[in-house]
Amino acid sequence: MKFVLIVLFSLTFFSGLTGQNVVRGKITDINGETLIGVAVYLKNNKGVGTATDLDGNFSLTIKDNKPQAILVSYVSYKTIEDTLIFNQPLLIKNFVMEPVVSVIQDVVVYGRIKASSDNSLVALKQLSATSLDFISSETIKKTGDVNVATAIARVSGVSNTSSGLMTVRGAGDRYIKTTINGMRIPTLDPFTNNIKLDIFPSSLIDNITITKTARPDIAGDWAGAYISVDTKEYPDSLQVFVESSFGYNQQTTFKEVVSSNRSSTDWLGFDNGFREYDPSKFVNFIEKPTAYQEFVALGLGDYFKSLGITAINDENTKRLGLVELGLLGKAQINDKNAADAAWAKYNTPEYKGKAYQLINADAIESAKLLPNNWNATKRTAPLNYSQSFSIGNQTQLFGKPFGYLLGFRYSSSMLYDPHSRANKMINEGTDVMEMPHDSIFQKTSRQTNGWSGLINLAYKFNPNNNISFMFMPNVIGVNNVRDAKVYIGNDPFISPEENIKITGSSIYQYYESRKQMVYQIKTGHFIPAQKIKIEMNASYTNGTSNAPDFKNADYRPTTDDVTNKPSFIGGSILGTGRIYRYLNEDIFDSNVSAE
């Protein structure tokens, strides 16, 4: 059972004026009829004004005691200008307006559509010639989804796999293209063209549109779906948004869970070098050296070089090495029985074992540089937590409109399953019902930490030219740990105590950190004479995906009745080992459109 407490604060600030002097009155036309909605404002400060009510009355508060020029304006009536002189705090002024005939040639109305609303996206869908679906910021607020991956899965036909990749109508991988504001971004995965969308927080997203059929104005290297994640734009007035979210899970929160050794910056979504290892210092073990390599390690290199021997590929050459080691007499070099006896004496720790140690001396020293942290650890799981903050406004810069939006989000969550179980049939024997089964009882955990930011700036040089810049950093780190016990028996459905045939253990530790730094610039231009609208967009994304020290330790005791000693065997696809993977992917995308 999961309980989520969300505390939401939304503050909107509006400016107002208070003053000491009040002018009141009534406004009528020449016939004595009251006029509703007549604008009354100061000539030198149009921000100080009011409008008449249903009875034609108005009341205007003025802060300054100095004489003020006042304007009374109404459509199809002559504008009245008068001077207010305050001899007392309350001044009564009535006005009679005369009609005037005006010819209006052009009316220009400027506005911005609210892309985060369902209504705007419904209208977009109705006017579109292609098949598309969407989910808006308005809807995401109602559902409480924390990232794009969970939000988009609510769209009909879209599903989110366990690995975080998206499928649309059953199509995934290379059939899906994902963009930010219509511009391509890196996949951060070496095996798929799909993108894990859990890196993008929903609190900084305006809407998500999914185009399902081809369109001439977008790239054609997709077939299943074209997903565009659009970031928030600046508001028309000052707005501050603060959101805090806490999640409690009775199976996980404040309980002891399986974990691994962590770096001091795991909480920020990346490893600070704690798991790093210099690959140039790594030396591979030579598990099966040749007889020539072994003899050279035992000091016979110069001897073979003098004979022009570079490799031992026949029994006679091997016997030369045995003779030099004193294990075979020169007179016995052609005696097969004596040579076999000498070879058997060579295959002992004194000779072959020593040669193996000498050949792999550098590999042994290299392995010692790896920390001994194969085992899983335990820790107390904290509350799931997320914090979002954003501030935006539209103001004046050098006398021109300037809009900005600054946003930030941090989140931390823990998933834990102490009772996970898997059953695998071992391919031995002919009767399926008699085949032994590999039953795995495991404890698994996944901790996710990440943060994202958004800087959106827009500037309008004049009504026909504007420019905007967007920067969006995204960082997320996921730590997966699995601690499993393995039981092998003929019945996978009874308890381990009754089912034990061979026991073993498997510990899996996989940490991945993904980063995306998205930079975008957009300009819009209108040429009135030719009535041409031109838009130019450019986007650059620096992406990295690091998986330092991916450890898989699969341990099974041997069933050899002679030695009765434990040994390591490969119990999974990777077997026992450590993997270091580093992926860098940068993408530059741009387009120019003219209408």
Side-chain angles (χ1 to χ4, degrees):
M1 182 178 295
K2 182 177 181 182
F3 303 94
V4 178
L5 173 63
I6 298 179
V7 182
L8 178 64
F9 304 95
S10 182
L11 306 177
T12 304
F13 298 90
F14 301 94
S15 60
L17 293 174
T18 61
Q20 300 173 348
N21 301 303
V22 177
V23 55
R24 293 178 183 172
K26 187 171 186 177
I27 301 176
T28 62
D29 61 10
I30 57 177
N31 298 318
E33 297 290 337
T34 58
L35 297 177
I36 304 171
V38 179
V40 182
Y41 54 90
L42 296 183
K43 181 179 181 179
N44 297 325
N45 187 359
K46 297 180 180 180
V48 180
T50 185
T52 57
D53 58 17
L54 294 176
D55 299 318
N57 297 321
F58 72 91
S59 177
L60 180 62
T61 302
I62 300 174
K63 184 177 181 180
D64 204 334
N65 289 323
K66 297 179 181 179
Q68 301 282 349
I70 190 172
L71 295 177
V72 180
S73 176
Y74 199 50
V75 177
S76 74
Y77 287 85
K78 291 181 180 180
T79 299
I80 300 174
E81 181 176 346
D82 195 5
T83 301
L84 302 178
I85 300 176
F86 293 97
N87 297 321
Q88 53 186 356
L90 178 61
L91 181 63
I92 304 299
K93 278 282 188 178
N94 298 318
F95 297 98
V96 177
M97 303 193 72
E98 298 179 5
V100 64
V101 178
S102 301
V103 179
I104 300 176
Q105 296 179 347
D106 294 309
V107 176
V108 180
V109 179
Y110 293 96
R112 292 194 301 123
I113 189 170
K114 190 177 180 182
S116 62
S117 67
D118 286 338
N119 291 335
S120 65
L121 292 174
V122 169
L124 177 67
K125 183 176 182 178
Q126 291 173 343
L127 296 174
S128 175
T130 60
S131 173
L132 61 86
D133 279 315
F134 65 87
I135 184 167
S136 67
S137 175
E138 185 179 317
T139 301
I140 294 175
K141 289 179 181 177
K142 298 176 183 177
T143 59
D145 296 318
V146 296
N147 57 56
V148 172
T150 54
I152 198 174
R154 297 183 183 276
V155 178
S156 177
V158 180
S159 58
N160 186 1
T161 66
S162 59
S163 59
L165 301 175
M166 310 306 301
T167 62
V168 180
R169 296 182 296 182
D173 198 11
R174 63 182 182 273
Y175 301 107
I176 292 182
K177 178 68 68 178
T178 303
T179 63
I180 294 291
N181 298 321
M183 311 300 286
R184 291 188 303 156
I185 56 176
T187 63
L188 298 185
D189 195 298
F191 305 113
T192 177
N193 192 46
N194 211 332
I195 296 177
K196 295 180 180 179
L197 296 177
D198 57 346
I199 197 172
F200 302 106
S202 59
S203 60
L204 302 180
I205 300 303
D206 233 1
N207 60 69
I208 309 165
T209 57
I210 306 170
T211 305
K212 299 179 180 179
T213 54
R215 217 170 64 202
D217 60 328
I218 58 178
D221 55 346
W222 58 277
Y226 182 88
I227 302 174
S228 180
V229 179
D230 297 327
T231 57
K232 286 185 177 295
E233 296 184 347
Y234 62 89
D236 294 324
S237 59
L238 179 59
Q239 291 187 357
V240 178
F241 178 81
V242 181
E243 179 184 9
S244 298
S245 175
F246 300 87
Y248 174 83
N249 188 317
Q250 63 180 8
Q251 180 173 278
T252 305
T253 308
F254 304 138
K255 301 293 179 64
E256 190 177 72
V257 302
V258 64
S259 184
S260 64
N261 293 296
R262 300 172 299 146
S263 75
S264 59
T265 57
D266 274 19
W267 68 279
L268 289 174
F270 66 93
D271 182 272
N272 66 350
F274 173 76
R275 300 177 178 88
E276 298 289 345
Y277 176 78
D278 187 355
S280 64
K281 298 179 181 179
F282 182 75
V283 180
N284 273 314
F285 276 84
I286 301 176
E287 296 183 9
K288 296 181 180 180
T290 64
Y292 175 78
Q293 291 173 314
E294 293 175 0
F295 285 144
V296 170
L298 293 173
L300 303 185
D302 292 337
Y303 170 69
F304 285 127
K305 186 177 181 180
S306 66
L307 299 177
I309 299 174
T310 58
I312 295 179
N313 24 12
D314 57 40
E315 290 298 322
N316 290 329
T317 318
K318 288 182 180 179
R319 292 175 187 180
L320 288 174
L322 295 175
V323 170
E324 286 299 309
L325 291 175
L327 300 177
L328 182 65
K330 293 183 179 180
Q332 298 175 311
I333 193 169
N334 293 321
D335 187 337
K336 185 179 184 304
N337 292 331
D340 290 343
W343 189 251
K345 187 176 181 180
Y346 171 79
N347 286 314
T348 60
E350 182 180 358
Y351 293 98
K352 190 177 182 68
K354 181 180 179 181
Y356 185 86
Q357 292 286 334
L358 292 172
I359 291 171
N360 290 298
D362 291 339
I364 293 173
E365 292 302 317
S366 172
K368 290 180 180 179
L369 297 176
L370 293 168
N372 185 14
N373 53 3
W374 293 91
N375 289 328
T377 63
K378 295 181 179 180
R379 66 178 298 231
T380 301
L383 281 169
N384 294 342
Y385 168 75
S386 71
Q387 177 66 59
S388 299
F389 172 81
S390 65
I391 179 173
N393 193 14
Q394 183 176 173
T395 183
Q396 295 288 314
L397 181 64
F398 306 117
K400 305 294 183 180
F402 173 74
Y404 66 88
L405 176 68
L406 308 176
F408 179 81
R409 180 182 183 273
Y410 173 80
S411 66
S412 176
S413 64
M414 170 74 78
L415 297 176
Y416 178 59
D417 185 356
H419 306 297
S420 176
R421 179 172 177 176
N423 293 310
K424 297 188 296 183
M425 186 169 60
I426 302 175
N427 190 15
E428 295 177 359
T430 57
D431 191 340
V432 174
M433 298 304 296
E434 294 180 357
M435 288 183 182
H437 292 76
D438 195 346
S439 298
I440 302 174
F441 296 81
Q442 59 189 11
K443 299 177 180 179
T444 61
S445 71
R446 171 180 292 183
Q447 183 169 16
T448 304
N449 296 288
W451 61 271
S452 297
L454 179 66
I455 300 176
N456 203 336
L457 309 175
Y459 188 69
K460 182 178 288 187
F461 299 99
N462 52 58
N464 296 329
N465 297 278
N466 61 72
I467 186 172
S468 63
F469 171 78
M470 190 274 289
F471 171 56
M472 187 178 191
N474 299 286
V475 179
I476 188 171
V478 182
N479 190 31
N480 296 277
V481 182
R482 180 182 66 199
D483 189 357
K485 301 299 181 184
V486 183
Y487 303 89
I488 299 180
N490 292 325
D491 190 344
F493 301 106
I494 61 177
S495 65
E497 292 76 11
E498 303 173 17
N499 197 33
I500 294 177
K501 187 174 183 181
I502 303 175
T503 61
S505 65
S506 177
I507 299 176
Y508 167 102
Q509 302 177 51
Y510 177 60
Y511 180 84
E512 181 186 22
S513 175
R514 287 177 283 136
K515 300 179 183 178
Q516 281 193 343
M517 303 295 172
V518 185
Y519 307 84
Q520 293 186 353
I521 187 170
K522 177 182 179 180
T523 64
H525 310 278
F526 179 69
I527 305 175
Q530 288 75 29
K531 294 185 177 180
I532 297 176
K533 180 182 178 182
I534 301 174
E535 287 188 354
M536 294 181 287
N537 300 277
S539 172
Y540 172 75
T541 304
N542 171 250
T544 60
S545 175
N546 296 333
D549 204 7
F550 171 21
K551 295 182 285 292
N552 192 75
D554 200 341
Y555 175 75
R556 310 281 179 87
T558 183
T559 56
D560 192 334
D561 296 332
V562 177
T563 62
N564 197 28
K565 293 180 180 180
S567 64
F568 283 94
I569 62 173
S572 64
I573 296 176
L574 293 175
T576 299
R578 305 170 89 134
I579 295 176
Y580 297 82
R581 190 195 75 191
Y582 304 95
L583 172 67
N584 296 322
E585 185 178 4
D586 301 337
I587 283 185
F588 175 78
D589 192 15
S590 64
N591 63 60
V592 178
S593 63
E595 179 183 351

